[in-house]
């Protein structure tokens, strides 16, 4: 009984003392922000057809659908062109700022708003990758994903260094100003009745918690209220991280078990057919090369099913998990090239990254830091070559006057 109590106390201390997986949540943040940002940039010329008020899925149809399923989308507040352009621009901006880790708590919330607003506006325009981004955008709001590899982490290091030198750190003016502006912006749709129900509680609750966090950190940075807030934040972060991992396992296990039930997956020919669909064949020669040999198709088909079904069980063995993780990421990279699904593959690779070992991620961060240092290092000016030729005669040293005895 004592041993059980000790194990429980250690587990409680582990999930409350620190936010686990700082590098994993950071790479997930960077991966999904990059995927969504690149998608929005690629579809920038086609944004009107996808999500605009004059698209095939009209604004009236979208409003009827969201009224029935209670999906959240700020694009339902107005059908004006200017409002749509504003929302699209804010979605781009929040993705870029979340990518670099500037005010990650706020940007993760705005990132979620942008993802939900655009995807729920036209639900028939997405694929499996969009569903993954949809879910992960919600989970990221509850993580402390800016602990490393972010501008927030750099600002925290500078403040800590200033305190170590017994100096007063620079006052944070951008954070409170952003908090006040977002509060005023949130008040408008709340009063107008555009937000209701659970979403109203979520947005105002997160806004109030952010204000409380700043106030406690300002007044009592090392007091008991701040310690309590850290404990709660760590619990929420670790729960959200567990949800991200469980979601990735659920995606693979569900896909694998559904494939087992299909006759084409059972006879080993399922991979052959997508390779001969024009929509999924950006490189016909490459598709023909892969589908030319029946043994190759058979191995890829059975290997895909086996990897997806076995992936959740490999988490109990680190070495096997790392090997299978590399196989899954390689498979998604091949899908991106061969089938022309880059954003689906990027989304799945970003979800897989939550299982990468910390040692590898730290080495990856070191490589990125060295590469950035080489790119940003100022050019070294080399001395000009001296002209060749006969040396000029050395000048005779001038005679110095002899000192007089009086001196």
């Amino acid at each position: 009984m004592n041993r059980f109590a000790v194990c429980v106390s250690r587990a409680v201390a582990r999930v409350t003392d620190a936010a686990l997986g700082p590098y994993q949540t950071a790479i997930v943040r960077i991966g999904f922000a990059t995927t969504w940002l690149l998608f929005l940039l690629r579809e920038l010329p086609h944004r009107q057809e996808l999500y605009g008020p004059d698209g095939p899925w009209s604004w009236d149809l979208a409003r009827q659908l969201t009224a029935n399923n209670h999906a959240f989308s700020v694009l339902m507040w107005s059908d004006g062109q200017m409002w749509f352009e504003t929302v699209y621009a804010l979605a781009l901006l929040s993705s870029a700022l979340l990518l670099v880790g500037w005010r990650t708590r706020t940007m993760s919330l705005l990132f979620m708003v942008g993802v939900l607003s655009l995807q729920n506006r036209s639900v028939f325009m997405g694929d499996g990758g969009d569903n993954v981004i949809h879910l992960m955008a919600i989970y990221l709001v509850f993580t402390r994903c800016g602990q490393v590899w972010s501008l927030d982490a750099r600002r925290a290091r500078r403040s800590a260094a200033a305190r170590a030198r017994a100096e007063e750190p620079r006052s944070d003016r951008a954070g409170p100003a952003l908090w006040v502006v977002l509060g005023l912006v949130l008040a408008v749709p709340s009063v107008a009745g555009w937000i209701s129900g659970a979403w109203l509680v979520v947005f105002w609750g997160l806004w109030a918690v952010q204000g409380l966090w700043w106030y406690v950190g300002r007044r009592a940075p090392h007091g008991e209220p701040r310690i309590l807030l850290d404990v709660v934040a760590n619990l929420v972060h670790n729960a959200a991280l567990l949800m991200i991992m469980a979601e990735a396992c659920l995606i693979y296990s569900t896909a694998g078990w559904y494939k087992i039930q299909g006759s084409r997956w059972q006879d080993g020919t399922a991979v052959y057919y997508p390779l001969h669909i024009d929509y999924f064949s950006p490189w016909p020669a490459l598709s023909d090369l892969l589908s030319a040999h029946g043994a190759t198709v058979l191995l890829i088909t059975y290997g895909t099913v086996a990897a997806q079904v076995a992936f959740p069980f490999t988490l109990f063995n680190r070495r096997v998990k790392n090997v299978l993780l590399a196989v899954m990421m390689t498979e998604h990279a091949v899908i991106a090239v061969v089938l022309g699904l880059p954003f689906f593959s990027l989304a799945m690779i970003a979800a897989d990254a939550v299982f990468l070992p910390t040692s590898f991620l730290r080495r990856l961060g070191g490589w990125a830091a060295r590469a950035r240092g080489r790119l940003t290092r100022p050019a070294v000016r080399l001395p000009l070559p001296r002209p060749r030729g006969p040396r000029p005669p050395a000048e005779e040293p001038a005679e110095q006057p002899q000192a007089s005895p009086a001196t």
Side-chain angles (χ1 to χ4, degrees):
M1 186 64 182
N2 293 333
R3 183 178 301 178
F4 176 75
V6 171
C7 293
V8 171
S9 62
R10 288 179 179 176
V12 172
R14 182 172 177 79
V15 298
T16 57
D17 287 348
L20 303 177
Y23 291 94
Q24 284 76 8
T25 50
I27 196 66
V28 169
R29 182 200 85 226
I30 294 172
F32 281 103
T34 302
T35 303
W36 185 243
L37 178 62
L38 293 178
F39 174 78
L40 294 180
L41 290 175
R42 190 195 72 169
E43 300 299 339
L44 189 62
H46 313 289
R47 63 188 184 280
Q48 297 292 341
E49 291 80 5
L50 289 175
Y51 309 113
D54 298 329
W57 185 251
S58 67
W59 187 83
D60 292 332
L61 291 176
R63 189 171 186 178
Q64 294 177 20
L65 182 61
T66 55
N68 291 329
N69 60 12
H70 304 288
F72 175 80
S73 176
V74 299
L75 289 177
M76 295 296 97
W77 297 354
S78 173
D79 59 349
Q81 181 64 32
M82 184 60 66
W83 177 242
F84 166 73
E85 297 293 349
T86 302
V87 173
Y88 201 92
L90 290 177
L92 282 168
L93 181 61
S94 62
S95 301
L97 293 178
L98 182 63
L99 171 61
V100 298
W102 186 80
R103 311 290 173 178
T104 50
R105 289 193 183 97
T106 303
M107 290 306 125
S108 62
L109 179 61
L110 296 180
F111 176 78
M112 180 195 72
V113 171
V115 169
L116 298 185
S117 298
L118 292 175
Q119 290 187 354
N120 291 334
R121 166 64 179 83
S122 299
V123 294
F124 300 107
M125 296 296 179
D127 54 18
D130 294 314
N131 295 333
V132 176
I133 297 175
H134 192 107
L135 294 172
M136 296 302 177
I138 299 175
Y139 298 147
L140 278 175
V141 174
F142 302 98
T143 62
R144 307 180 75 173
C145 55
Q147 298 179 98
V148 297
W149 298 342
S150 66
L151 297 180
D152 290 347
R154 186 180 68 174
R155 186 174 63 254
R157 288 195 303 269
R158 290 179 176 179
S159 299
R163 293 189 184 95
R165 296 190 302 266
E167 298 176 358
E168 185 68 22
R170 296 179 58 183
S171 60
D172 183 14
R173 298 180 179 178
L178 184 62
W179 181 78
V180 172
V181 170
L182 291 179
L184 295 175
V185 171
L186 183 59
V188 174
S190 300
V191 174
W194 299 335
I195 305 178
S196 60
W199 287 110
L200 189 64
V201 176
V202 169
F203 289 139
W204 279 113
L206 292 174
W207 182 83
V209 168
Q210 184 67 15
L212 179 63
W213 185 278
W214 178 86
Y215 179 80
V216 172
R218 182 80 172 179
R219 297 297 181 181
H222 304 291
E224 293 183 358
R226 178 55 189 267
I227 296 175
L228 177 61
L229 288 178
D230 275 328
V231 169
V232 175
N234 292 336
L235 282 173
V236 174
H237 165 92
N238 295 330
L241 179 61
L242 180 62
M243 289 300 300
I244 292 174
M245 300 172 67
E247 188 66 40
C249 293
L250 184 62
I251 290 172
Y252 282 125
S253 60
T254 303
W257 286 107
Y258 270 104
K259 286 182 175 64
I260 289 177
Q261 302 175 29
S263 59
R264 294 293 178 266
W265 291 96
Q266 293 175 3
D267 59 26
T269 61
V271 175
Y272 175 85
Y273 298 100
L275 295 175
H276 291 274
I277 299 176
D278 293 338
Y279 185 78
F280 296 111
S281 300
W283 315 98
L286 183 59
S287 300
D288 294 339
L289 179 63
L290 290 176
S291 61
H293 304 282
T296 303
V297 174
L298 183 68
L299 289 176
I300 295 176
T301 303
Y302 285 161
T304 300
V305 176
Q308 291 181 347
V309 172
F311 180 76
F313 302 99
T314 62
L315 300 181
F316 299 99
N317 189 296
R318 183 176 301 178
R319 294 182 179 179
V320 177
K321 181 262 295 182
N322 292 338
V323 172
L324 191 57
L325 192 61
V327 172
M328 300 296 289
M329 288 185 170
T330 303
E331 181 184 6
H332 288 304
V334 173
I335 290 174
V337 176
V338 176
L339 298 182
L341 297 172
F343 299 108
F344 167 78
S345 299
L346 281 176
M348 292 307 303
I349 291 175
D352 294 340
V354 73
F355 298 106
L356 289 174
T358 302
S359 58
F360 171 77
L361 291 175
R362 296 183 69 175
R363 286 198 300 268
L364 183 64
W367 297 336
R370 287 192 292 270
R372 183 188 61 184
R374 295 191 188 99
L375 293 176
T376 58
R377 184 180 302 166
V380 179
R381 294 185 178 180
L382 299 177
L384 296 176
R386 300 180 64 180
R388 296 181 178 180
R391 293 184 178 180
E395 297 182 357
E396 294 292 337
E399 292 186 0
Q400 298 181 355
Q402 296 182 356
S404 62
T407 60

